[in-house]
C-alpha cells in the first residue's frame, strides 16, 4: 500500500513530520510530493523545490523513514480541473492521499481517489506562515522544525533571503502630515 503526501513545505516543519510519521504507521511506502516546485524567492515561497527536497531528506534521515519514502517535485498548473491528471502523469502511482488542504481534498475526491485527513498538530504553532513570520521577526523558529532542517536553512542563509525578498526598490514619497 502506497500513500501520497503533498505539500509546499515552506519550510518543512514538525507538523509535517508528525503527519508523515502517522502516515508511515498506515502504509508501506510514501510518495512525498513537493508542490509549487517552480516557486522560490518570494515571501510565501522562499525556498526552491530542490532546497525543500534537501530539508525533507534531512528530516527523513533522522526519523529512519528514508528507505520507505520517494520524494519528488511537481509544478503547479493553471487549471485546477486537470491537476489530478497532471499529478498522476508526473509522480509514482499511489493508493491513498493524505491532505487537509481543502482544494487538494476536493480535487482528489472528485477524481474518486481515497483521501484521508490526518489530525492537525498544534496548527497555530506548526504552520509555514507562522514559522516564516517568526523568521522575519527574529523569533524562535528553530524549535518548530526538525533540527537538521534548521541547520540546512542556516547553511543557505534562508532567513536572510526571507527578510530581503518582500522588499521593493521603488521610491516611496515621504509623507507630509
Ligand atoms: P502545506 O505545506 O501548507 O501543507 C502540507 C500538508 O501538511 C497539508 O495537508 C496540511 O494540512 C498539512 N499540515 C500543515 N501543518 C500541519 C500541522 N500542524 N498538523 C497537521 N498537518 C499539517 O502545503 P499545501 O498548501 O497543502 O500544498 C498543496 C500543494 O498542492 C501546493 O503546492 C499547491 O500549489 C498544489 N496544488 C496545485 C494545484 C494546481 O496546480 N492547479 C491545485 C491544487 C493544489
Amino acid at each position: 500500500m502506497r500513500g501520497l503526501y503533498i505539500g509546499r513545505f515552506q519550510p518543512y516543519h514538525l507538523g509535517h513530520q508528525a503527519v508523515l510519521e502517522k502516515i508511515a504507521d498506515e502504509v508501506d511506502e510514501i510518495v512525498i510530493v513537493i508542490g509549487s516546485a517552480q516557486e522560490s524567492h518570494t515571501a510565501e515561497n522562499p525556498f526552491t523545490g530542490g532546497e525543500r527536497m534537501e530539508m525533507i531528506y534531512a528530516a527523513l534521515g533522522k526519523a529512519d523513514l528514508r528507505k520507505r519514502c520517494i520524494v519528488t517535485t511537481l509544478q503547479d498548473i493553471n487549471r485546477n480541473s486537470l491537476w489530478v491528471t497532471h499529478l498522476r502523469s508526473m509522480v509514482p502511482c499511489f493508493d491513498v492521499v493524505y491532505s487537509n488542504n481543502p482544494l487538494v481534498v476536493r480535487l482528489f475526491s472528485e477524481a474518486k481517489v481515497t483521501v484521508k485527513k490526518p489530525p492537525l498538530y498544534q496548527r497555530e504553532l506548526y504552520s509555514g506562515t507562522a514559522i516564516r513570520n517568526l523568521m522575519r521577526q527574529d523569533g524562535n523558529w528553530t524549535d518548530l522544525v526538525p533540527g537538521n532542517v534548521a541547520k540546512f536553512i542556516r547553511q543557505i542563509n534562508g532567513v536572510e533571503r526571507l527578510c530581503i525578498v518582500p522588499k521593493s526598490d521603488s521610491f516611496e514619497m515621504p509623507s507630509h502630515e
Side-chain angles (χ1 to χ4, degrees):
M1 178 89 146
R2 208 183 251 173
L4 181 129
Y5 183 31
I6 177 151
R8 283 187 303 122
F9 307 121
Q10 288 282 13
Y12 186 84
H13 56 65
L14 289 170
H16 294 137
Q17 183 77 1
V19 170
L20 186 69
E21 286 170 9
K22 171 98 174 63
I23 299 171
D25 288 340
E26 297 185 5
V27 297
D28 306 307
E29 288 185 313
I30 306 162
V31 180
I32 303 176
V33 180
I34 300 167
S36 307
Q38 79 286 355
E39 297 283 347
S40 73
H41 295 78
T42 69
E44 297 295 305
N45 292 293
F47 304 112
T48 67
E51 287 166 345
R52 288 175 271 159
M53 192 179 279
E54 298 257 18
M55 289 178 205
I56 292 170
Y57 275 122
L60 289 182
K62 199 163 187 189
D64 199 23
L65 283 170
R66 203 172 173 138
K67 290 190 286 282
R68 293 169 56 202
C69 292
I70 301 166
V71 187
T72 188
T73 56
L74 184 74
Q75 298 201 9
D76 291 331
I77 57 165
N78 211 10
R79 286 177 75 178
N80 284 335
S81 60
L82 296 183
W83 182 67
V84 173
T85 306
H86 163 66
L87 177 140
R88 276 194 167 127
S89 76
M90 299 299 286
V91 314
C93 60
F94 54 89
D95 305 294
V96 53
V97 170
Y98 291 83
S99 179
N100 268 302
N101 178 312
L103 176 61
V104 171
V105 171
R106 180 74 197 178
L107 295 178
F108 278 116
S109 302
E110 285 186 8
K112 310 281 181 251
V113 176
T114 306
V115 182
K116 290 193 177 180
K117 295 183 185 177
L120 292 172
Y121 296 90
Q122 299 178 65
R123 186 71 165 121
E124 63 297 334
L125 197 61
Y126 298 114
S127 103
T129 306
I131 292 169
R132 291 193 302 278
N133 283 339
L134 282 171
M135 286 174 160
R136 271 188 286 265
Q137 295 156 5
D138 199 20
N140 183 9
W141 58 272
T142 51
D143 291 349
L144 305 179
V145 303
N148 286 347
V149 171
K151 195 170 152 195
F152 175 74
I153 291 172
R154 281 206 205 89
Q155 270 170 14
I156 61 169
N157 291 324
V159 175
E160 189 186 314
R161 180 192 300 170
L162 189 56
C163 293
I164 285 170
V165 284
K167 289 188 179 156
S168 159
D169 63 354
S170 63
F171 175 75
E172 283 179 23
M173 291 288 286
S175 59
H176 301 288
E177 298 196 357

